[in-house]
Amino acid sequence: MSFYVTTPIYYVNGEPHLGHAYSTMAADVLARHMRQRGEDVFFLTGTDEFGEPVAQQAEREGVTPRELGDRLAPRFKEMAAKVNASNDFFIRTTDEGHQKRVQEVVQQVYDNGHVYEGTYEGWYCPRCADFKTDSEIAEGNTCPIHGIELTREQQDNWFFRLSSFQEPLERLYAERPDFVIPDFRRNEALSFIRQGLRDVSLSRPKLKWGVPVPWDPEQVIYVWFDALLNYYTALSYAREGKDLTETYWPAFHLLAKDILKFHAVYWPAFLMAAGLEVPRGMVIHGYLLMGESKMSKSLGNVLDPFDAIDRYGSDALRFYCFREVSFGRDGAVSAAGFESRYETELANDYGNLASRVLAMVDRYRDGTVPNSEADPAIAEDFKGIVTRFSALLDKTELTVALDEVWTLVRRLNRFVEETRPWDLAKDEDEAGRLDQVLYTLIEGLRVTTLLLLPYLPVSAERLLGALGEEDRGLAELGSRGGGQQIERLGQLFPKLEPATG
Ligand code: ME8
């Protein structure tokens, strides 16, 4: 089976921040987990470089949009590498291959009779590059997302007959109840559809920074259609001489609530209009907040992903974001909270457990894992964890799945305290019990670490190496016997002096 997962492509109108890193890390957790399950995975991320949001920023900075993109796209690429994303390709919408394919698909939509020429007048937000419907206008005639005043705009351009897809979209939502998850986001999208859909612009006349409309070079394709199409176009040119579309399409999309309408309404309609398969599904996550507001650099106390990773490593940041904020909901993050979870959970709960257990096997059994049976109580707590965990990640429950594993990590810590292997080691008669305890702990560590691998790719690799585990597939407790040689391990998460204070 193949699994194709995408992040939004980020506008090159500012430096990448933790919000962008969050989406990329989330998609990476899914990609890595699916690879462990033996799926043939393709993971895409990239940058959105056309349209008003970029053109206006370039104007403010006194550079061309192309220059702005050339400066910022590499920063987003660096961010992906920095958070240890295992993406298979990085798309830039300025790529030739993307533009060519966009024109082909848009031409197809035109040939299929879903495009006409007309005039549109309405309230417009240039930061969203979006005309707002009545229900999307906030108090004082402002944009609910950006808080800026909307402008009255009239445009003569090409229109996409979105209105004629109302019924097909309602049918899609009825047939595929998990097309948009979580449920409350699905309901939001569905009620937007049910309100009645108006046709939307497919092109822009004034703006020159975009992909030309194939049958009317005076116009450029509206940035949202060009951007959404990245998910489809990338497969056609990501590998030279090879079209991956057949292998991987349709995609599973990951995005935040700000761009729900484009993905859950416009995008499937546009694909239907082009005669292409609609996405496999999409998951909508919330915002990371600093205090009460959406994260932004100007607010200070920003948890900078680059700084945090330089100090604590990418695993720590990945872990913190998914553990702290219930995935799907908005949630606050802070530098202090990050440091505290690093200390209590990564360093103490997990890192100490690993080094203690390895040290005991080294000391009491010369580094060889004893052949034994798992302790029945622990076996009971671990029972079915792979199935439970996989089912949660199938629903992109990144936080609940992580919580499940963490409960087991804590259970193993309690097991050490309860069994006191250091006392058992003093008593010859307890040799069998000590074998069982050590075997159970090693198995527990192996099983939890395999599950944690997508969240903590660097440390999990180190630990699996020390455990002598070569396989990366998920495993239930007790599925491996003893006899293997382990190695001692230093601190997986060394203690650091807090940076805040
Ligand atoms: O909207 N919390 O690009 P964009 C969580 N180019 N996620 C956040 C976030 C926060 N505080 N801030 C940003 C665009 N994000 C278009 C997308 S896709 C075909 C085109 C993440 O640079 C989140 O994924 O404004 C959000 O949807 C995305 O960045 C918006 O990035």
Side-chain angles (χ1 to χ4, degrees), residues 155-173:
Q155 295 188 344
D156 295 317
N157 49 30
W158 296 96
F159 279 84
F160 169 54
R161 248 183 251 285
L162 180 65
S163 57
S164 63
F165 288 90
Q166 172 144 359
E167 236 178 76
L169 284 173
E170 286 185 30
R171 212 172 320 126
L172 170 71
Y173 275 70

Side-chain angles (χ1 to χ4, degrees), residues 8-50:
I9 47 170
Y10 309 113
Y11 281 132
V12 284
N13 59 358
E15 288 283 327
H17 56 65
L18 186 58
H20 305 119
Y22 183 60
S23 299
T24 302
M25 295 188 294
D28 191 56
V29 169
L30 284 187
R32 288 178 186 269
H33 169 75
M34 289 302 181
R35 286 194 202 103
Q36 282 186 288
R37 279 162 64 175
E39 307 269 336
D40 176 9
V41 171
F42 197 84
F43 169 20
L44 180 72
T45 185
T47 42
D48 190 354
E49 306 194 16
F50 288 120

Side-chain angles (χ1 to χ4, degrees), residues 1-7 9 24 26-36 38-46 85-92 95 229-240 242-254 280-281:
M1 281 281 280
S2 68
F3 181 74
Y4 176 27
V5 60
T6 68
T7 72
I9 47 170
T24 302
D28 191 56
V29 169
L30 284 187
R32 288 178 186 269
H33 169 75
M34 289 302 181
R35 286 194 202 103
Q36 282 186 288
E39 307 269 336
D40 176 9
V41 171
F42 197 84
F43 169 20
L44 180 72
T45 185
S86 58
N87 53 300
D88 295 283
F89 190 59
F90 187 98
I91 190 170
R92 295 183 58 179
D95 292 347
L229 277 166
N230 91 87
Y231 303 132
Y232 183 73
T233 64
L235 296 178
S236 69
Y237 72 96
R239 296 287 175 269
E240 219 182 310
K242 206 166 158 195
D243 191 331
L244 303 174
T245 315
E246 278 292 303
T247 315
Y248 294 111
W249 191 257
F252 181 76
H253 304 305
L254 185 145
R280 165 174 175 159

Side-chain angles (χ1 to χ4, degrees), residues 143-154:
C143 166
I145 297 167
H146 295 101
I148 56 174
E149 226 172 281
L150 300 173
T151 54
R152 194 72 188 169
E153 289 252 350
Q154 188 187 333

Side-chain angles (χ1 to χ4, degrees), residues 101-278:
R101 192 79 161 159
V102 164
Q103 288 186 320
E104 287 167 14
V105 179
V106 170
Q107 182 71 52
Q108 193 62 51
V109 173
Y110 180 82
D111 293 346
N112 291 350
H114 301 296
V115 177
Y116 64 94
E117 208 168 6
T119 301
Y120 194 96
E121 199 189 328
W123 293 106
Y124 186 76
C125 170
R127 296 268 288 282
C128 290
D130 187 25
F131 278 102
K132 300 291 174 185
T133 61
D134 291 347
S135 65
E136 294 176 300
I137 298 175
E139 207 167 307
N141 215 30
T142 55
C143 166
I145 297 167
H146 295 101
I148 56 174
E149 226 172 281
L150 300 173
T151 54
R152 194 72 188 169
E153 289 252 350
Q154 188 187 333
Q155 295 188 344
D156 295 317
N157 49 30
W158 296 96
F159 279 84
F160 169 54
R161 248 183 251 285
L162 180 65
S163 57
S164 63
F165 288 90
Q166 172 144 359
E167 236 178 76
L169 284 173
E170 286 185 30
R171 212 172 320 126
L172 170 71
Y173 275 70
E175 283 165 7
R176 308 235 314 249
D178 57 355
F179 182 64
V180 175
I181 50 175
D183 259 358
F184 71 105
R185 295 292 175 208
R186 169 186 189 270
N187 295 338
E188 236 171 81
L190 190 55
S191 71
F192 184 85
I193 296 167
R194 285 186 178 146
Q195 269 172 33
L197 294 176
R198 290 175 66 178
D199 294 342
V200 292
S201 312
L202 177 65
S203 68
R204 287 283 183 271
K206 284 184 293 189
L207 200 87
K208 291 287 168 287
W209 183 234
V211 183
V213 171
W215 63 89
D216 179 4
E218 292 298 298
Q219 301 235 348
V220 294
I221 294 166
Y222 172 38
V223 64
W224 268 104
F225 287 111
D226 139 46
L228 288 162
L229 277 166
N230 91 87
Y231 303 132
Y232 183 73
T233 64
L235 296 178
S236 69
Y237 72 96
R239 296 287 175 269
E240 219 182 310
K242 206 166 158 195
D243 191 331
L244 303 174
T245 315
E246 278 292 303
T247 315
Y248 294 111
W249 191 257
F252 181 76
H253 304 305
L254 185 145
L255 49 132
K257 60 184 186 179
D258 51 341
I259 52 180
L260 171 70
K261 176 179 78 177
F262 302 101
H263 285 78
V265 184
Y266 292 14
W267 178 225
F270 201 71
L271 286 167
M272 288 182 203
L276 298 171
E277 218 179 314
V278 299

